[in-house]
Amino acid sequence: MLDWISVTFSQILKNIDAIIFYRIGGDQGIPLIVLWLICGSLFFTLRMQFINIRAFKHAIDVIWGKYDDPNDEGEVSHFQAMATALSGTVGLGNIAGVAIAISFGGPGAAFWMTIAGLLGMSTKFVECTLAQKYRVVNLDGTSIGGPMYYISMGLADLGQKKLGQFLGGMFALFNILAVLGSSSIFQSNQSQVVVANVIPFFAQRSWVYGLILVLVVGLVIVGGIQRIAGVAAAIVPTMCGIYFLAGSWVILANFTAIPHAFSTIIHSAFAPQAMAGGFVGALIQGVRRAAFSNEAGLGLAAIAHATAKTDEPVREGIVAMLEPFIDTVIICNMTALVVIITGVYNNPEFATLNGSELTLAAFTTVIDWFPAILTICIILFAFSTMISSSYYGQVCWQYLFGNKGVIIYKILFLVGIFVGTVTNPEAVIEFSDAIKITLAFPSLLGAYFLCGKVATDQASYMKRLQAGEMFDKSPSKVIG
């Protein structure tokens, strides 16, 4: 039965991947979806006048709680909203996905991944500002929002109600499929691969690991956004800190190889040789990996930020900018440097490894006992991503079907977790990228239509901030 599930599901996933990543210019061309993401992030960076740079310091101030007001509408703090969004993005894509990108696109993929992350900060600003601007606050004080809401409501304001309803519904449907694929299947699959390497018991009993994961995740997601945000706020700083320290250890142990690693990354990023291994190959893998890791352009984080306590939509958008920086520029690059500096990505000895296994091999070259530490990180990464993403899918399910069928969605999500532990890893990786990145079509299109409203609100907010009209509500200072 398990073998049949694996073979059948793997073939379906490969066919879906081929459709979604349609290439302009044949097999060696650039995927249309990748070009769409590049153009979107570049456009928003220019349209918002480099808000990703201008408001970076202010974003940090907000995260520290200087502008928190418990009386504002919403359910969670700025920090909890960011932690929830990060817990949905800082996952195995940062460990397994980066290694895959470098294996397929060469070291240059790390360069384009970084550029995509920096530009993606502006995209997230637009998405999460809109999520706050068009969120719905219920009578019981709970709030809900996301691309399906701001697309449908925002386009209705522009006289395009039917188009807004169509794109909003498309996003909600795609998101449900993406969450069931990327978050449940991919995360459980890749975490099981590493856990099985460290704990032999699970190598032949992957179904046992799957059942344990289903039970633990199920206990958290029944508590809604407040419980998820609380767990995320506790887990995210810990898991990021552990991984950052371990990565720094490996990099410093190969200190003399750092200049050569950076040289290799830059050279490979602009390599003129054959498309698949040169510039286009590195560009595709870099942008694809950035989109999968930080979700800029996909709109998912907007669902979490719609629940934040604030009366300033732009402020929440500014907070959201930090996520691609932390997720892609810092954590993904940590993985990339470890994989490149240790040389495992082009070492024949590790040619049969993929994803998290390759990253594990890179760390083990310096820290022989690191498999146990990385296993803990991977379990936390996978767990945090699953609980946050389950909420994203639930909100979209409620948007389409109402509250009555939520239990059906949760059961499907938990079933997906189990299926991921017994499915072929290669096919799962292809599917998770493909189905998740489809969200960029309705999400970015809606943001294009509505970015003028964001630009107007941003100009007003920054003007008031510079004039000293924004108050530091913790020590009662005026921020000038």
Side-chain angles (χ1 to χ4, degrees):
M1 174 64 73
L2 294 180
D3 288 342
W4 179 84
I5 292 176
S6 180
V7 172
T8 303
F9 201 63
S10 297
Q11 187 57 49
I12 293 174
L13 303 188
K14 288 181 179 179
N15 292 337
I16 292 174
D17 182 84
I19 294 172
I20 293 174
F21 283 95
Y22 171 77
R23 291 174 178 264
I24 300 175
D27 293 340
Q28 300 300 321
I30 185 169
L32 177 62
I33 188 65
V34 171
L35 187 62
W36 178 248
L37 285 167
I38 294 173
C39 292
S41 60
L42 183 59
F43 171 78
F44 290 130
T45 298
L46 296 174
R47 183 71 176 85
M48 300 301 148
Q49 300 177 342
F50 295 92
I51 188 68
N52 53 338
I53 298 174
R54 292 189 296 120
F56 190 86
K57 181 182 180 300
H58 180 56
I60 296 175
D61 289 338
V62 176
I63 286 300
W64 282 115
K66 290 185 176 181
Y67 300 88
D68 286 356
D69 187 341
N71 297 318
D72 285 342
E73 289 183 328
E75 299 181 68
V76 299
S77 68
H78 291 296
F79 177 77
Q80 287 179 321
M82 188 185 76
T84 301
L86 277 175
S87 71
T89 59
V90 178
L92 295 186
N94 302 79
I95 297 177
V98 174
I100 294 168
I102 293 173
S103 296
F104 291 162
F111 175 86
W112 294 113
M113 177 181 68
T114 302
I115 297 299
L118 292 171
L119 294 176
M121 293 170 68
S122 301
T123 305
K124 272 218 172 176
F125 165 75
V126 173
E127 293 171 334
C128 295
T129 298
L130 287 170
Q132 274 281 332
K133 186 177 181 66
Y134 288 101
R135 70 176 173 178
V136 175
V137 180
N138 300 314
L139 295 176
D140 60 0
T142 60
S143 54
I144 194 169
M148 55 283 188
Y149 286 96
Y150 69 66
I151 290 173
S152 59
M153 296 168 67
L155 291 189
D157 288 345
L158 298 178
Q160 299 292 333
K161 183 177 180 179
K162 290 185 178 180
L163 176 61
Q165 291 176 335
F166 173 74
L167 292 177
M170 178 188 294
F171 177 89
L173 177 61
F174 283 1
N175 191 21
I176 292 171
L177 295 175
V179 167
L180 294 178
S182 292
S183 302
S184 60
I185 297 177
F186 176 79
Q187 299 295 329
S188 63
N189 177 276
Q190 286 293 286
S191 64
Q192 190 277 331
V193 169
V194 172
V195 170
N197 283 335
V198 178
I199 307 175
F201 174 81
F202 291 115
Q204 300 300 322
R205 301 174 182 84
S206 59
W207 61 273
V208 176
Y209 176 76
L211 290 177
I212 294 174
L213 208 53
V214 166
L215 176 62
V216 177
V217 172
L219 290 174
V220 175
I221 65 176
V222 295
I225 184 59
Q226 292 186 345
R227 181 182 296 179
I228 291 172
V231 173
I235 290 179
V236 169
T238 301
M239 69 184 188
C240 290
I242 292 173
Y243 193 70
F244 182 81
L245 290 174
S248 299
W249 188 340
V250 174
I251 293 171
L252 292 176
N254 294 274
F255 182 78
T256 57
I258 294 177
H260 178 69
F262 279 108
S263 175
T264 301
I265 290 172
I266 298 299
H267 175 75
S268 178
F270 298 96
Q273 60 260 39
M275 288 287 195
F279 170 74
V280 173
L283 176 64
I284 291 171
Q285 288 300 327
V287 174
R288 176 171 174 165
R289 185 50 41 205
F292 186 69
S293 70
N294 65 50
E295 298 176 353
L298 308 189
L300 291 175
I303 299 175
H305 285 282
T307 65
K309 293 182 178 180
T310 185
D311 56 359
E312 294 279 1
V314 171
R315 183 176 297 157
E316 195 59 30
I318 289 173
V319 168
M321 291 192 322
L322 293 176
E323 293 159 15
F325 185 83
I326 295 171
D327 182 281
T328 303
V329 179
I330 296 178
I331 299 177
C332 283
N333 268 302
M334 182 65 68
T335 301
L337 284 174
V338 168
V339 171
I340 293 169
I341 284 177
T342 57
V344 298
Y345 73 96
N346 61 357
N347 188 332
E349 180 183 351
F350 306 110
T352 59
L353 303 182
N354 62 54
S356 54
E357 294 175 302
L358 189 62
T359 303
L360 179 61
F363 275 97
T364 306
T365 60
V366 174
I367 312 173
D368 55 4
W369 46 265
F370 186 73
I373 301 297
L374 185 60
T375 300
I376 294 174
C377 286
I378 284 177
I379 292 174
L380 291 176
F381 278 27
F383 175 70
S384 67
T385 298
M386 285 187 282
I387 62 173
S388 296
S389 297
S390 69
Y391 174 73
Y392 297 164
Q394 179 180 325
V395 172
C396 288
W397 184 280
Q398 291 171 310
Y399 179 83
L400 291 177
F401 308 113
N403 294 322
K404 294 182 180 180
V406 171
I407 186 63
I408 297 175
Y409 161 78
K410 291 184 178 180
I411 291 173
L412 289 174
F413 184 82
L414 295 175
V415 168
I417 292 176
F418 180 79
V419 170
T421 61
V422 297
T423 305
N424 175 17
E426 181 180 352
V428 170
I429 291 169
E430 292 176 354
F431 170 73
S432 61
D433 275 7
I435 201 66
K436 192 171 188 177
I437 211 166
T438 56
L439 297 173
F441 285 116
S443 178
L444 278 182
L445 188 58
Y448 276 128
F449 279 115
L450 300 171
C451 68
K453 293 178 177 290
V454 177
T456 300
D457 291 347
Q458 175 216 202
S460 171
Y461 181 89
M462 296 303 291
K463 182 179 180 180
R464 286 182 287 128
L465 177 66
Q466 294 167 3
E469 298 177 15
M470 298 294 180
F471 292 90
D472 181 338
K473 296 180 180 180
S474 50
S476 299
K477 294 180 180 178
V478 177
I479 303 300

